[in-house]
Amino acid sequence: GAVVSQHPSWVICKSGTSVKIECRSLDFQATTMFWYRQFPKQSLMLMATSNEGSKATYEQGVEKDKFLINHASLTLSTLTVTSAHPEDSSFYICSAADRGSNYGYTFGSGTRLTVV
Amino acid sequence: GDSVTQMEGPVTLSEEACLTINCTYTATGYPSLFWYVQYPGEGLQLLLKATKADDKGSNKGFEATYRKETTSFHLEKGSVQVSDSAVYFCALSDPGGAQKLVFGQGTRLTINP
């Protein structure tokens, strides 16, 4: 089946630094990927839709300059949290739409970001 | 806008008990409906889905039927196991074609032996 690899699975960084999270579709091409944020014991909040070869579409209230998304190829999207602060600590999950599977959405395993 | 409402958790059951997690939705058009499961510290895994009214999705003993008349997609299992302990999310796809998923708030299920 479709597999999405997300890396790293966890990261601890200092305030003010930037962190890059990668999301790769391993066995299918994903023209569209999605980035979610999940707070403890809460649901997933869609942050942005990443489109291969074009700018990402951000949801209302999500800072574009804070959360940089790049989708340079059909198998890779990256989320960079710039100038991270403790309030950015969260669980980030990516998802890719597998057009070969009717309405198939495959999720990565998530990245636990802790900013200290 | 589109929304999904799940029954409040947490839900605690004994092994072999019957499970129902309610899910209702609001959407324009005809969305596809999904149940996802999240184990501790992991991402989401698709449990089952239904793409049109009256479809029944099933997997690993879980079932859910797409009820257009009641705008519901309740998750059921006749006999739960300890390994079913997880957080369950009901979701719908954006019928407008943007492929976005809208999630319910999640229901934490704990099964005791």
Side-chain angles (χ1 to χ4, degrees), chain A residues 22-80:
Chain A
E22 293 187 348
C23 182
R24 293 180 184 273
S25 57
L26 297 187
D27 49 3
F28 66 100
Q29 293 182 333
T31 55
T32 305
M33 290 186 176
F34 305 90
W35 287 96
Y36 295 86
R37 183 173 181 177
Q38 185 180 31
F39 292 99
K41 298 185 179 181
Q42 294 189 27
S43 190
L44 282 73
M45 179 191 78
L46 179 64
M47 298 175 66
T49 302
S50 171
N51 303 297
E52 186 269 335
S54 64
K55 292 182 178 180
T57 304
Y58 289 82
E59 296 298 303
Q60 192 171 9
V62 178
E63 299 177 60
K64 301 178 183 181
D65 296 331
K66 175 77 172 171
F67 300 99
L68 300 179
I69 290 173
N70 183 278
H71 194 158
S73 77
L74 285 170
T75 59
L76 174 64
S77 176
T78 60
L79 168 67
T80 301

Side-chain angles (χ1 to χ4, degrees), chain A residues 31-32 34 36 38 41-44 46 49 59 91 93 95 97 99 101-110 112, chain B residues 6 30 32 34 36 38 41-46 49 51 87 89 93-94 98-106 108:
Chain A
T31 55
T32 305
F34 305 90
Y36 295 86
Q38 185 180 31
K41 298 185 179 181
Q42 294 189 27
S43 190
L44 282 73
L46 179 64
T49 302
E59 296 298 303
F91 193 57
I93 306 176
S95 169
R99 290 184 179 275
S101 171
N102 186 30
Y103 294 102
Y105 301 85
T106 304
F107 285 79
S109 55
R112 170 75 59 196
Chain B
Q6 287 179 236
Y30 303 98
S32 290
F34 307 82
Y36 283 88
Q38 184 179 33
E42 299 184 13
L44 273 66
Q45 300 175 26
L46 177 64
K49 67 181 181 184
T51 57
V87 180
F89 292 94
S93 67
D94 181 352
Q99 296 186 307
K100 292 191 292 186
L101 282 174
V102 176
F103 286 90
Q105 66 268 41
R108 183 174 299 277

Side-chain angles (χ1 to χ4, degrees), chain A residues 5-22:
Chain A
S5 174
Q6 188 172 341
H7 178 81
S9 56
W10 61 270
V11 58
I12 302 173
C13 70
K14 292 183 178 179
S15 289
T17 62
S18 295
V19 174
K20 180 184 285 188
I21 302 170
E22 293 187 348

Side-chain angles (χ1 to χ4, degrees), chain B residues 27-101:
Chain B
T28 54
Y30 303 98
S32 290
L33 302 174
F34 307 82
W35 275 100
Y36 283 88
V37 57
Q38 184 179 33
Y39 297 100
E42 299 184 13
L44 273 66
Q45 300 175 26
L46 177 64
L47 181 60
L48 52 85
K49 67 181 181 184
T51 57
K52 61 183 187 296
D54 298 326
D55 267 2
K56 177 186 282 188
S58 61
N59 185 27
K60 298 180 181 180
F62 291 90
E63 293 183 341
T65 301
Y66 190 144
R67 301 288 187 197
K68 184 170 178 291
E69 63 276 13
T70 54
T71 61
S72 65
F73 193 55
H74 304 322
L75 182 67
E76 298 176 327
K77 186 173 185 181
S79 177
V80 294
Q81 306 300 314
V82 173
S83 57
D84 294 327
S85 298
V87 180
Y88 292 81
F89 292 94
C90 186
L92 65 82
S93 67
D94 181 352
Q99 296 186 307
K100 292 191 292 186
L101 282 174

